[in-house]
Amino acid sequence: MNVIEVSGLRYRYGSFAAVDGIDLTVREGEIFALLGTNGAGKTTTLEVVEGFRSPAGGRVRVFGLDPVTDRTRLSARTGVMLQSSGLVGELTVAETLDLWGGLRSRTDDPEALLSTVELLGRRDVAVDKLSGGEQRRLDFALAVWGRPPLLILDEPTTGLDPESRQRLWQTVRALRDSGSTILLTTHYLDEAQSLADHVAIMHQGRIQVAGPLSDVLAGAPSRITASLPFDVPALPAFLGRSTVDGQTLVVETRQVQEDLYALLRWADRYGVRLPDVAASQGSLEEVFLAVSKGA
Ligand code: ATP
């Protein structure tokens, strides 16, 4: 089942087209990562899907409903984490969660939730005394309150230390595994690569690349890197597809085994030492950089 269906979505700030005709489909039970350059239109897209903004064109459906006109019905089924929090500074962590729980139709266990986001020991601290990362974790706790069927998270891990980020992702994964659908944005491509089922990369208001993660990665070239000693003999011909930056050789290739073999044979033949030669599979980062440079 499709939880979110967006087709031909446009959104304008004055005459500026922030979202310029995008299509995306988020299926039930998947983690969908909306990636993109700064200012690409990701937050605007999420805000339209959340029903906070009316599109200038196109069609958006969430659980088959219109997010603007059916916002009240949808908010009962959706947990949202915005890029900036709307927390009240004077309330303590526990009071914030109590207040929030009273406003929501779904129930949850505040102690367990605070433990999940590692704020149990901070339950009696006022929100404005929390660190930035702790506030972000509280924001996350509010979004996942009651295990909503749909979670929309705008850069949920920004500002978190690596351990907190891992824990947050574990929680997101567990929610996905128990049937929730998750749409999120992140600038951490390694996270998206290890956790997303489906990705879309936006640039200047448009989606440039989209698909199941494995399909998107299959389109990325692999990379061979090595530090070259000074005064090396002429490089093998295939290295025409390579760049040498200072003494660092970078080869982008779709036939990594053959090219690595040719490089090592060349090194062997001329007695060149390549102590740090490395080959890596294509990553989201390469796909992303190709989009931001080339599109
Ligand atoms: P980032 O990764 O930097 O958070 P984003 O992909 O989420 O960026 P948006 O916040 O959706 O991008 O912004 C898309 C474009 O719309 C940007 O050029 C931004 O400057 C512009 N924009 C966003 N909000 C407004 C606003 N309220 N008024 C005018 N322009 C805006």
Side-chain angles (χ1 to χ4, degrees):
M1 184 186 106
N2 295 336
V3 173
I4 299 175
E5 288 175 336
V6 170
S7 59
L9 172 65
R10 294 180 189 279
Y11 190 87
R12 296 185 162 275
Y13 294 105
S15 61
F16 174 67
V19 179
D20 198 12
I22 66 163
D23 302 327
L24 59 90
T25 302
V26 182
R27 291 175 190 81
E28 185 174 21
E30 74 176 3
I31 298 175
F32 189 112
L34 185 58
L35 311 171
T37 48
N38 283 134
K42 304 179 294 295
T43 295
T44 305
T45 301
L46 293 196
E47 288 174 353
V48 172
V49 171
E50 288 154 359
F52 296 134
R53 296 183 183 279
S54 295
R59 186 174 187 274
V60 180
R61 288 292 176 271
V62 180
F63 292 114
L65 302 172
D66 181 322
V68 176
T69 55
D70 291 311
R71 197 159 136 212
T72 314
R73 278 169 77 192
L74 283 174
S75 82
R77 302 165 79 177
T78 312
V80 171
M81 182 174 176
L82 303 174
Q83 216 172 66
S84 53
S85 89
L87 299 170
V88 180
E90 298 82 52
L91 295 180
T92 66
V93 168
E95 287 165 349
T96 302
L97 218 49
D98 274 358
L99 182 69
W100 187 246
L103 295 171
R104 307 299 290 167
S105 53
R106 309 175 75 85
T107 56
D108 210 325
D109 175 353
E111 301 278 304
L113 198 47
L114 286 180
S115 165
T116 301
V117 296
E118 289 180 288
L119 286 176
L120 206 47
R122 310 285 282 157
R123 62 192 313 287
D124 297 318
V125 175
V127 164
D128 60 6
K129 299 281 184 303
L130 296 177
S131 73
E134 288 170 338
Q135 288 192 8
R136 208 74 194 121
R137 272 148 44 199
L138 179 56
D139 255 340
F140 177 70
L142 302 184
V144 302
W145 175 274
R147 307 168 79 82
L150 173 62
L151 262 180
I152 304 179
L153 310 171
D154 198 352
E155 296 191 29
T157 53
T158 298
L160 297 190
D161 64 50
E163 201 188 332
S164 302
R165 245 194 265 165
Q166 288 226 347
R167 283 183 67 95
L168 186 144
W169 274 108
Q170 270 171 19
T171 309
V172 168
R173 216 192 253 139
L175 283 163
R176 187 265 317 266
D177 293 346
S178 65
S180 294
T181 303
I182 296 110
L183 170 63
L184 57 82
T185 68
T186 180
H187 284 290
Y188 298 107
L189 300 175
D190 52 336
E191 289 183 355
Q193 185 166 337
S194 67
L195 291 145
D197 302 300
H198 211 109
V199 297
I201 304 179
M202 278 186 89
H203 184 54
Q204 296 177 344
R206 298 201 173 144
I207 290 179
Q208 306 288 352
V209 174
L213 180 68
S214 51
D215 290 4
V216 170
L217 288 179
S222 299
R223 181 181 282 226
I224 301 168
T225 56
S227 299
L228 297 175
F230 289 98
D231 297 328
V232 288
L235 293 162
F238 77 89
L239 295 176
R241 291 196 310 279
S242 68
T243 53
V244 180
D245 179 8
Q247 291 308 114
T248 305
L249 169 71
V250 179
V251 184
E252 298 213 330
T253 174
R254 291 183 191 281
Q255 40 170 22
V256 66
Q257 188 171 338
E258 289 81 356
D259 283 357
L260 187 59
Y261 182 58
L263 177 66
L264 294 176
R265 228 178 25 198
W266 164 85
D268 191 45
R269 178 168 172 199
Y270 293 104
V272 175
R273 302 289 306 153
L274 300 173
D276 63 355
V277 65
S280 55
Q281 190 204 6
S283 71
L284 259 186
E285 190 165 336
E286 268 100 54
V287 183
F288 186 93
L289 290 175
V291 164
S292 58
K293 277 189 223 146

